[in-house]
Amino acid sequence: MKIVVVGANHAGTACINTMLDNYKGNEIVVFDQNSNISFLGCGMALWIGGQISGPEGLFYSSKDKLEAKGAKIHMETEVTNIDFDKKIVYATGKDGKKYQESYDKLILSTGSLPINPEIPGKDLDNIQFVKLYQHAEEVINKLKERPEIKTVAVVGAGYIGVELAEAFKRWGKDVHLIDFCDECLSTYYDKPFRDKMDTQLLNNGVKLNYKQLVKEIKGDKRVQAVVTDKGEYQVDMVVLCIGFRPNSALGKGKLNLFRNGAYVVDRTQKTSLDDVYAIGDCATVFDNSIDDINYIALATNAVRSGIVAAHNVCGTKLESIGVQGSNGISIFGYNMVSTGLTLEKAQRLGIDALETTFHDLQKPEFMEHNNEQVSIRIVYRKDDRTIIGAQIASKQDISMAIHLFSLAVQEKVTIDKFKLLDIFFLPHFNKPYNYITMAALGAK
């Protein structure tokens, strides 16, 4: 069987490895328009901020590794067209060489593209995106080579924007964080938690410019100012991170698309066409918190989707168990994790939901060192009381606790089950009346 894979980052790499490791005798041909494979974009801010020594550890695979297992990899080669009726992929290499590959099964792993807004002045020098390895490398080189860059505007206060605000502060730059929302991280957390992160950013010198829409970027060849509907800020670099859109142009007109343009897939990752599968950021996921398909672009989801597709393409039926969109962030030592729906998002979706929120020290008061405040919110349906989301925040590392709630959302566990849940106690780790139990006991 001949399998063509278009795109070889997280989802593609997971898919290719799974097929090569578990199924022998297939011909696997891969096209990717980048010059590298498997770059962990989630580590970009750490690299830019100097919290890691370099980018080498942000790669976990390569053309050589995949070819050593038996795949044929074409790097820096763009797929220009796909004839879905004749099952032929057309591509062009960086050197102009043309490729025409037939396939029995096709896997689309084309990822997502940064949103490039139509703003006057957006083509000035020192306007940056942060998606690829090359983007991060360019930013770092400019920070090293251009000491005149003293003030940076980060446009977009989602996860990437907030992480980059920290990274630029670690360079000693003045940082403006600009967003049209009222607070940062509006997708992942309810207001009390967003306020905590905003306080953390303010305490570390980030200037917050919220409820503002960027109208223009001014400059003479290079950036000199950002103009919003509320004011003008003198800056030397602008980083645009206002979101991503699925890279689905190859399938438009032939494959069913989600409302945002992602390929609609079933639980086997199959698209609306037989023998065509889509994985990673270009495809939908099944969201257990709403019991419906959704779009949640996370590397963890991408890897799992690649594994699921690989088995199905090679003849083993395997269905995704769905996702909850579990995620986390750590900024200047303050950690926040969430899964499922926030209360605000549940209400926007018309779900009659309730929340229970609790604040306490992580450990007993007599543990005088390394003992921090923890805040937790659990969101649950009013009718059947099933948990549909949770958020936790602390300077303590509370990250592993969110996995419990991810499983709870997936398995439709009720808030009442948590009231007497067997949670161990040891002063080194928690309180006998721990924050999870106490939050559950406080549920209406």
Side-chain angles (χ1 to χ4, degrees):
M1 182 168 60
K2 185 174 180 181
I3 303 163
V4 173
V5 182
V6 182
N9 209 40
H10 301 310
T13 298
C15 186
I16 296 159
N17 276 324
T18 302
M19 292 190 292
L20 294 171
D21 293 343
N22 294 279
Y23 303 96
K24 305 304 178 186
N26 295 315
E27 181 184 358
I28 298 175
V29 180
V30 181
F31 294 101
D32 196 289
Q33 63 183 25
N34 205 340
S35 59
N36 58 69
I37 285 174
S38 79
F39 178 63
L40 288 163
C42 54
M44 258 195 304
L46 294 172
W47 178 27
I48 292 172
Q51 291 173 271
I52 58 176
S53 58
E56 297 77 20
L58 298 178
F59 295 94
Y60 58 87
S61 190
S62 66
K63 171 182 164 73
D64 292 343
K65 286 180 180 178
L66 295 178
E67 288 196 328
K69 288 184 174 186
K72 186 175 183 180
I73 313 292
H74 300 288
M75 298 301 297
E76 296 185 275
T77 304
E78 181 183 5
V79 172
T80 55
N81 185 45
I82 299 172
D83 188 327
F84 292 97
D85 298 318
K86 295 181 179 178
K87 292 188 169 183
I88 299 174
V89 172
Y90 298 90
T92 303
K94 185 181 179 183
D95 57 2
K97 184 177 179 181
K98 302 289 185 180
Y99 298 87
Q100 181 176 319
E101 290 284 353
S102 62
Y103 63 84
D104 297 304
K105 304 280 186 181
L106 174 66
I107 300 168
L108 299 172
S109 177
T110 48
S112 57
L113 299 169
I115 293 172
N116 190 354
E118 290 301 321
I119 301 172
K122 69 172 186 173
D123 296 322
L124 290 167
D125 189 16
N126 287 347
I127 293 180
Q128 313 294 142
F129 289 99
V130 279
K131 170 71 170 172
L132 305 175
Y133 164 81
Q134 293 90 334
H135 293 153
E137 183 179 46
E138 183 181 359
V139 168
I140 290 169
N141 287 340
K142 285 184 176 180
L143 291 173
K144 287 178 178 177
E145 296 164 4
R146 300 180 180 179
E148 67 271 17
I149 297 176
K150 300 186 186 313
T151 305
V152 180
V154 178
V155 181
Y159 265 176
I160 294 171
V162 170
E163 288 174 341
L164 288 172
E166 176 189 22
F168 291 120
K169 284 304 297 182
R170 289 180 179 275
W171 272 87
K173 307 300 180 183
D174 288 331
V175 179
H176 289 277
L177 184 60
I178 303 171
D179 199 288
F180 68 89
C181 292
D182 293 358
E183 302 101 4
C184 67
L185 309 180
S186 57
T187 304
Y188 303 101
Y189 299 94
D190 283 318
K191 181 172 172 52
F193 288 78
R194 300 197 299 268
D195 287 345
K196 291 176 184 296
M197 184 55 76
D198 280 341
T199 298
Q200 184 74 356
L201 291 166
L202 285 168
N203 288 345
N204 285 276
V206 177
K207 298 177 178 70
L208 305 182
N209 306 291
Y210 294 152
K211 294 192 277 189
Q212 299 189 35
L213 189 65
V214 174
K215 307 295 283 186
E216 183 186 358
I217 302 172
K218 290 182 177 179
D220 179 13
K221 294 184 179 178
R222 288 186 179 178
V223 171
Q224 293 175 314
V226 172
V227 181
T228 75
D229 56 354
K230 301 282 178 64
E232 182 171 322
Y233 307 98
Q234 303 304 305
V235 300
D236 308 301
M237 177 181 278
V238 175
V239 183
L240 297 173
C241 40
I242 59 176
F244 299 92
R245 58 178 179 83
N247 183 13
S248 56
L250 287 170
K252 280 181 180 171
K254 290 297 287 186
L255 303 177
N256 289 348
L257 302 180
F258 194 52
R259 58 179 176 263
N260 71 333
Y263 298 122
V264 173
V265 296
D266 64 15
R267 291 205 182 203
T268 70
Q269 301 299 139
K270 188 175 79 67
T271 67
S272 52
L273 274 185
D274 288 339
D275 301 328
V276 180
Y277 293 73
I279 56 179
D281 287 4
C282 68
T284 58
V285 295
F286 188 85
D287 184 346
N288 290 312
S289 66
I290 61 172
D291 286 323
D292 202 354
I293 63 168
N294 202 353
Y295 183 73
I296 305 175
L298 293 168
T300 46
N301 292 345
V303 168
R304 284 189 291 266
S305 71
I307 293 169
V308 169
H311 286 292
N312 285 290
V313 164
C314 293
T316 301
K317 182 70 181 292
L318 178 66
E319 291 194 348
S320 165
I321 58 175
V323 304
Q324 291 69 250
S326 304
N327 60 87
I329 190 168
S330 181
I331 300 296
F332 296 114
Y334 194 69
N335 311 305
M336 290 172 53
V337 290
S338 76
T339 192
L341 299 176
T342 63
L343 180 66
E344 293 169 14
K345 189 168 184 180
Q347 290 170 340
R348 285 198 301 271
L349 292 170
I351 298 171
D352 192 1
L354 299 170
E355 56 80 18
T356 175
T357 303
F358 189 75
H359 311 277
D360 199 2
L361 288 174
Q362 166 84 357
K363 307 169 190 175
E365 282 74 5
F366 60 78
M367 299 295 286
E368 297 170 1
H369 302 290
N370 194 28
N371 190 9
E372 300 285 350
Q373 181 95 2
V374 179
S375 296
I376 182 171
R377 169 169 286 190
I378 309 171
V379 182
Y380 57 99
R381 290 179 181 268
K382 185 176 180 180
D383 52 7
D384 63 10
R385 301 182 68 74
T386 54
I387 293 172
I388 54 174
Q391 302 150 63
I392 313 174
S394 181
K395 290 182 181 177
Q396 208 79 34
D397 181 0
I398 37 72
S399 58
M400 294 303 288
I402 206 65
H403 300 316
L404 172 70
F405 289 99
S406 180
L407 184 62
V409 175
Q410 175 184 298
E411 299 300 316
K412 312 297 184 198
V413 178
T414 67
I415 186 66
D416 303 302
K417 286 270 188 177
F418 270 66
K419 292 179 178 179
L420 294 176
L421 179 66
D422 178 14
I423 295 177
F424 83 96
F425 159 62
L426 192 68
H428 302 72
F429 301 107
N430 62 354
K431 286 188 168 189
Y433 291 97
N434 61 83
Y435 60 89
I436 294 173
T437 298
M438 295 304 292
L441 287 170
K444 298 186 183 94

